[in-house]
Amino acid sequence: MKTIHIGILGYGVVGTGVARLLKEKKQLLESRIGAALKLKTIADIDTTTDRGLDLGDTSLVSDANLIINDPQIDIIVETIGGETLAKKFILDALENQKHVVTANKALLASFGNDLVKVAGKNLVDLGFEASCGGCMPIIKSLRESLVANDIKSMSAILNGTCNYILTKISREGSGFEEALKHAQDLGYAEAEPSLDIDGFDTAHKLAILNSLAHGMEINLKDIHVEGIRNITPVDIEFARSFGYTIKLLAIGKIHDDYVEARVHPTMISGSNPLSHVEMSMNAIVIDADATGQTMLYGHGAGMMPTASAVLSDIADIARNIISGTKRRVPILGYPEDNIKPMPILPMDELYTRYYLRFEAQDHPGVLAKISGILGENNISIKSVHQKGRKTNGKVPVVMITHIAKEAWVQKALKQISKTDSVVGRPIVIRIEETDQE
Amino acid sequence: MKTIHIGILGYGVVGTGVARLLKEKKQLLESRIGAALKLKTIADIDTTTDRGLDLGDTSLVSDANLIINDPQIDIIVETIGGETLAKKFILDALENQKHVVTANKALLASFGNDLVKVAGKNLVDLGFEASCGGCMPIIKSLRESLVANDIKSMSAILNGTCNYILTKISREGSGFEEALKHAQDLGYAEAEPSLDIDGFDTAHKLAILNSLAHGMEINLKDIHVEGIRNITPVDIEFARSFGYTIKLLAIGKIHDDYVEARVHPTMISGSNPLSHVEMSMNAIVIDADATGQTMLYGHGAGMMPTASAVLSDIADIARNIISGTKRRVPILGYPEDNIKPMPILPMDELYTRYYLRFEAQDHPGVLAKISGILGENNISIKSVHQKGRKTNGKVPVVMITHIAKEAWVQKALKQISKTDSVVGRPIVIRIEETDQE
């Protein structure tokens, strides 16, 4: 039986999970793949902490180059994270003709196009199933299963921390800070939570998925990103009264010669399968022209779900090696020559529906003033909800609009904020309508 | 650019869908795969009916052997269905060293082990992504994505007709016959609906999925199968009052040296993601040891979703051909030598919870009689519900049991049926508990 040698860079949570699967599932993997996957070396600056795993004949070293330059090693798994060291190591590994597997969405979103080129030049594979949606087979589905489809749209919950916090606020009426603290205590959120709760992690994943779905270069910088810091129990309660749930969604849609790509809190109705995705679970709904609507659902993070996705990439590369082939499926789903830049719609140009909440002064004429300004800006109102809940002498006024242009809405809100009819910044949450059978 | 030649056997709904994708997505497929997929010939006994498709330079012939024996054709797609002609044609094609793609679950469930052996002997691939769950990538997920997991359990809605009927009964309170008629009028159910509504189609799919999940020979004959003919609005209403939904589930679970494999109407709670799967949609929840719970959701049937799955198999084989390899992934997920027979738990040995409904005589002592017999048979009752709805002077008595053995339940029900306390056959619906985050 052929032996394929593997090295892991980074012996943290994901690295430990990958090492554990390679050890504990040795027999299963051999039985399925028909080759032995030997974990030869792990590199980490910390070579002393006990990770609770018997490494057997695997070496634990502090110098990554002992893996990158090891002529025996076929596949290198990068689980260091971050964009500096990880980038250098991956580039060195690719230049050494090593196949690379990574879960590093931040790196792929920012430098993926370069990495893909270097992998192409060196005729090696670059696997990243674990970068988006954890153990859900999103990458494989877009690259292989949906091969005969034009992907019309994707909408997804791709950050478990945000979904956990939103679920907590929704179920318990707790404030954002309290829910975040709870998530941190349970290990669902980092001490420095910005990457998650400000939407950047979700945007990284959307940049990757858009590329795979549409054969476009990875484009992170033009994605509109808003996080969940401003979501309050009040808005969640209003949403519920209209039959909506608030989720942090990644939304990608194809148009004739551009794509829509945006990350923001979104109201969705109960008929949208994403509305049932709770706690730290992730899910993606893909609407493609032949399949119609499909959804993948699962754990988007965590040691073993992420490690499982890494192993699926390792198995794919191992199967290539024992079949005497490589680069059987293009890294981004299309051969590099067929991948083109594609513009992302400027956010101002977006047309969608809006939930607007104002803290209005409780005196006559205020509603007329607000709706007047909206009307002058071409925004038609579908419904107005003025409930008796006074907060500091102010009344929350909620409006649901018909489809309107983002630029109009932002302009109107600025004008409304300048009047003495409202206090503070209006809350804007976009509403996503989905066709559902 | 290399050209790969394809022949389709059967120009019905699925065959037309496959032909349409090969024609309409020609450019997309070439751009993704890097090879031309040329539909050379279609064979069908009906060569005259207009299928609304411009075949261009594709020949439409009545003799399947013109495809099977064409030395130029690389991949043969079987979309005839049934077990006689389709079996002969597939065997002939495999013996002629053609790669075969089929959606024929009935054939695979009954003769899949033989087909796999013949494909192995002739060193060709046999793709069947379209056989289970339509466009959901179940087969690819089990064979490739979950490669480092032990699959603990699968539960799935795999028949859109049944799910449509159950949704209709649930939403509208219509009777089974009325809902079936409605499904037939809309084309969701066949004129001869037994294959669907009696659960056989679901069992075919479960037999295939069990094999892939556990590396076992395909075993259809030992799967316990019950359909949905006896489901009434009364039971659906009771289920709802307990927080349950009734779905026709395929359930597969691994134990130490046997598997559980059963198809029957099942009560599931709202925390089970399958409870939100409505109308004709399909879904599978897979609980694996590394990933935890994942779900795939999508259209399980229909021309284009099925054709999309067929195309994913064609693309996989095409990528093998241009990579100079074949049989890169074993047909059943494990190399044939590693596939073993594995016994299925006899239904009598099952332990689960039960919903029991009796039409009880409305006189004193009846409840004591029923619960006495259950107690004598070791069955403990979790709750009893006796609602005032009299039907013909009878009162429906509903009991939810704790976990009990199927053999005990069946024995107790026989004894209860023989008393004069109840009228007619008691209704038994098994309850599936799922852990859900």
Side-chain angles (χ1 to χ4, degrees):
Chain A
M1 188 182 283
K2 186 173 170 66
T3 297
I4 290 163
H5 292 87
I6 296 165
I8 300 178
L9 304 175
Y11 198 22
V13 172
V14 176
T16 303
V18 174
R20 179 178 290 174
L21 284 181
L22 285 169
K23 295 280 174 188
E24 294 177 358
K25 302 290 182 166
K26 185 175 160 49
Q27 206 183 339
L28 177 73
L29 290 163
E30 285 182 14
S31 151
R32 279 177 163 273
I33 297 171
L37 302 180
K38 183 173 164 53
L39 177 54
K40 189 179 178 197
T41 316
I42 302 174
D44 195 285
I45 41 169
D46 172 2
T47 58
T48 53
T49 302
D50 181 13
R51 277 82 165 180
L53 195 65
D54 175 10
L55 284 183
D57 58 353
T58 298
S59 314
L60 177 57
V61 301
S62 59
D63 181 0
N65 290 308
L66 293 176
I67 291 177
I68 295 167
N69 297 321
D70 183 338
Q72 205 181 20
I73 285 180
D74 305 288
I75 303 171
I76 294 180
V77 180
E78 181 274 311
T79 68
I80 301 168
E83 299 180 26
T84 314
L85 263 185
K87 183 182 172 196
K88 180 185 168 357
F89 289 156
I90 288 179
L91 286 171
D92 289 350
L94 295 172
E95 293 285 7
N96 279 0
Q97 271 99 53
K98 308 295 189 192
H99 303 290
V100 171
V101 176
T102 178
N104 195 329
K105 50 259 180 188
L107 181 65
L108 288 164
S110 298
F111 302 103
N113 297 316
D114 299 336
L115 299 180
V116 168
K117 279 190 196 117
V118 176
K121 196 187 72 182
N122 289 284
L123 296 174
V124 287
D125 275 302
L126 175 63
F128 52 96
E129 182 65 79
S131 67
C132 300
C135 62
M136 297 188 288
I138 302 184
I139 308 294
K140 191 176 271 288
S141 289
L142 287 171
R143 294 202 317 183
E144 302 176 32
S145 300
L146 294 166
V147 65
N149 286 259
D150 286 288
I151 312 293
K152 296 191 290 183
S153 74
M154 301 182 288
S155 53
I157 294 168
L158 295 172
N159 185 279
T161 307
C162 289
N163 207 47
Y164 179 86
I165 291 171
L166 291 174
T167 304
K168 275 281 164 188
I169 300 177
S170 176
R171 286 190 187 170
E172 294 164 18
S174 48
F176 171 78
E177 291 299 337
E178 189 187 333
L180 170 60
K181 175 78 174 48
H182 198 85
Q184 285 170 326
D185 290 346
L186 286 172
Y188 285 144
E190 306 284 335
E192 178 28 90
S194 173
L195 194 64
D196 291 321
I197 64 176
D198 291 323
F200 302 119
D201 174 75
T202 301
H204 293 153
K205 293 164 181 171
L206 179 59
I208 296 167
L209 296 178
N210 263 338
S211 169
L212 289 160
H214 310 303
M216 63 185 272
E217 285 179 2
I218 298 171
N219 178 346
L220 173 65
K221 70 175 180 19
D222 295 332
I223 295 178
H224 175 86
V225 187
E226 289 171 38
I228 62 167
R229 283 187 202 263
N230 296 323
I231 299 300
T232 64
V234 174
D235 296 306
I236 286 182
E237 201 182 314
F238 269 116
R240 189 180 290 133
S241 73
F242 307 140
Y244 291 125
T245 306
I246 300 177
K247 297 289 184 188
L248 183 75
L249 292 196
I251 297 172
K253 294 184 187 179
I254 190 90
H255 294 268
D256 283 344
D257 44 10
Y258 62 90
V259 294
E260 245 178 78
R262 46 196 169 100
V263 173
H264 53 68
T266 312
M267 288 197 188
I268 54 176
S269 76
S271 70
N272 185 324
L274 295 175
S275 69
H276 306 292
V277 177
E278 300 216 307
M279 304 302 279
S280 66
M281 301 303 281
N282 281 203
I284 181 166
V285 169
I286 301 172
D287 193 4
D289 60 351
T291 61
Q293 194 183 65
T294 57
M295 180 170 79
L296 307 177
Y297 166 96
H299 290 277
M303 177 190 281
M304 300 318 290
T306 308
S308 170
V310 168
L311 260 290
S312 80
D313 280 337
I314 292 175
D316 267 350
I317 294 170
R319 282 173 164 153
N320 282 350
I321 293 173
I322 60 176
S323 304
T325 184
K326 53 172 74 167
R327 295 173 62 75
R328 183 178 157 278
V329 181
I331 294 172
L332 293 177
Y334 289 78
E336 276 94 78
D337 290 349
N338 296 342
I339 293 172
K340 306 291 178 223
M342 197 182 291
I344 290 176
L345 181 74
M347 196 61 181
D348 271 355
E349 305 290 321
L350 176 72
Y351 283 81
T352 188
R353 288 178 57 212
Y354 294 83
Y355 161 99
L356 308 173
R357 180 166 63 82
F358 307 94
E359 286 301 307
Q361 301 289 359
D362 191 15
H363 57 65
V366 164
L367 201 58
K369 183 83 190 166
I370 295 173
S371 46
I373 294 174
L374 290 171
E376 285 159 20
N377 283 286
N378 246 330
I379 300 158
S380 44
I381 298 163
K382 191 183 170 216
S383 60
V384 178
H385 309 265
Q386 193 170 3
K387 294 200 180 157
R389 302 189 204 75
K390 279 196 200 180
T391 321
N392 310 321
K394 312 296 176 302
V395 185
V397 172
V398 165
M399 294 181 176
I400 304 285
T401 74
H402 285 291
I403 286 178
K405 192 174 177 179
E406 177 85 15
W408 305 340
V409 172
Q410 296 299 344
K411 187 175 161 213
L413 293 182
K414 258 189 207 150
Q415 292 173 358
I416 292 168
S417 292
K418 283 182 194 155
T419 68
D420 57 3
S421 300
V422 302
V423 179
R425 276 180 48 180
I427 299 292
V428 185
I429 302 177
R430 296 171 195 88
I431 300 171
E432 190 70 9
E433 306 290 343
T434 43
D435 305 326
Q436 157 78 349
E437 220 186 329
Chain B
M1 186 180 286
K2 186 173 170 65
T3 298
I4 290 163
H5 292 86
I6 296 164
I8 299 177
L9 305 175
Y11 198 22
V13 173
V14 176
T16 303
V18 174
R20 178 179 290 175
L21 284 181
L22 285 169
K23 295 281 174 188
E24 294 177 357
K25 303 289 182 166
K26 184 175 160 51
Q27 207 182 338
L28 177 73
L29 290 164
E30 285 183 14
S31 153
R32 280 178 163 270
I33 297 172
L37 302 181
K38 184 174 163 52
L39 177 55
K40 189 178 179 198
T41 316
I42 302 174
D44 195 285
I45 42 168
D46 173 4
T47 57
T48 53
T49 301
D50 182 13
R51 276 85 167 181
L53 195 64
D54 175 9
L55 285 183
D57 57 356
T58 298
S59 314
L60 176 56
V61 300
S62 59
D63 181 1
N65 290 308
L66 293 175
I67 292 177
I68 295 167
N69 298 321
D70 183 338
Q72 204 181 22
I73 285 180
D74 305 288
I75 303 171
I76 295 180
V77 180
E78 181 274 310
T79 68
I80 301 168
E83 300 179 25
T84 314
L85 262 185
K87 183 182 173 197
K88 179 185 166 0
F89 289 157
I90 289 179
L91 285 170
D92 289 350
L94 294 172
E95 293 285 7
N96 279 0
Q97 270 98 54
K98 307 295 187 191
H99 303 289
V100 171
V101 176
T102 178
N104 194 330
K105 48 259 180 188
L107 181 64
L108 288 164
S110 298
F111 302 103
N113 297 316
D114 298 336
L115 299 180
V116 168
K117 278 190 196 116
V118 175
K121 196 186 72 182
N122 289 284
L123 296 174
V124 286
D125 275 303
L126 174 64
F128 52 96
E129 183 65 80
S131 67
C132 299
C135 63
M136 296 188 287
I138 302 184
I139 307 295
K140 191 176 270 287
S141 289
L142 287 171
R143 294 202 317 184
E144 302 176 33
S145 300
L146 294 166
V147 66
N149 286 259
D150 286 288
I151 311 294
K152 296 192 291 183
S153 74
M154 301 182 287
S155 53
I157 293 167
L158 294 172
N159 185 279
T161 306
C162 288
N163 207 47
Y164 179 85
I165 291 171
L166 291 174
T167 304
K168 274 283 164 187
I169 300 176
S170 175
R171 286 189 187 170
E172 295 165 17
S174 48
F176 170 79
E177 291 298 337
E178 191 186 332
L180 170 61
K181 175 76 172 49
H182 199 85
Q184 285 170 327
D185 289 347
L186 286 172
Y188 286 143
E190 307 284 335
E192 178 29 86
S194 172
L195 194 63
D196 291 321
I197 64 176
D198 291 322
F200 302 119
D201 175 75
T202 301
H204 293 154
K205 293 165 180 169
L206 179 59
I208 296 167
L209 296 177
N210 264 338
S211 169
L212 290 159
H214 309 304
M216 63 186 272
E217 284 179 2
I218 297 170
N219 178 348
L220 174 65
K221 71 176 180 15
D222 295 332
I223 295 178
H224 175 85
V225 187
E226 289 171 37
I228 61 167
R229 283 188 201 263
N230 297 323
I231 299 298
T232 64
V234 174
D235 296 304
I236 286 181
E237 201 182 315
F238 270 116
R240 189 180 290 132
S241 72
F242 307 139
Y244 291 124
T245 306
I246 300 177
K247 296 289 185 188
L248 183 74
L249 292 196
I251 297 173
K253 294 185 187 177
I254 190 91
H255 295 267
D256 282 344
D257 45 10
Y258 61 90
V259 295
E260 242 178 80
R262 47 196 170 98
V263 173
H264 52 69
T266 313
M267 289 198 187
I268 54 176
S269 76
S271 69
N272 185 324
L274 294 176
S275 69
H276 305 292
V277 176
E278 301 216 306
M279 303 303 279
S280 66
M281 301 304 280
N282 281 203
I284 182 167
V285 169
I286 301 173
D287 194 4
D289 59 352
T291 60
Q293 194 182 65
T294 57
M295 180 169 79
L296 307 177
Y297 166 95
H299 289 277
M303 177 191 281
M304 299 319 289
T306 308
S308 170
V310 168
L311 260 289
S312 80
D313 281 337
I314 292 175
D316 267 351
I317 294 170
R319 283 174 163 152
N320 282 350
I321 292 173
I322 60 176
S323 304
T325 184
K326 52 172 74 166
R327 295 173 62 74
R328 182 177 158 279
V329 181
I331 294 172
L332 293 176
Y334 289 78
E336 276 94 76
D337 291 347
N338 296 342
I339 293 172
K340 308 289 179 221
M342 197 182 290
I344 290 176
L345 181 74
M347 195 62 181
D348 271 355
E349 305 291 320
L350 176 72
Y351 283 82
T352 189
R353 289 178 57 211
Y354 295 83
Y355 161 99
L356 308 173
R357 181 166 62 82
F358 306 94
E359 285 300 306
Q361 300 290 359
D362 191 14
H363 57 66
V366 164
L367 202 57
K369 184 81 192 166
I370 295 174
S371 46
I373 293 175
L374 291 171
E376 285 159 21
N377 284 285
N378 245 329
I379 300 158
S380 45
I381 298 164
K382 190 182 170 216
S383 60
V384 178
H385 309 266
Q386 193 171 1
K387 293 200 180 156
R389 301 188 204 76
K390 280 197 200 181
T391 322
N392 308 322
K394 312 295 177 301
V395 185
V397 173
V398 165
M399 294 183 176
I400 304 285
T401 74
H402 285 292
I403 286 178
K405 192 173 176 179
E406 177 85 15
W408 305 339
V409 171
Q410 295 300 344
K411 187 175 161 213
L413 293 182
K414 259 190 207 151
Q415 291 172 358
I416 293 167
S417 292
K418 282 182 193 155
T419 68
D420 57 3
S421 299
V422 302
V423 178
R425 276 181 48 180
I427 299 292
V428 184
I429 302 177
R430 296 172 195 87
I431 300 172
E432 191 70 8
E433 305 289 343
T434 42
D435 306 327
Q436 156 79 350
E437 223 186 327

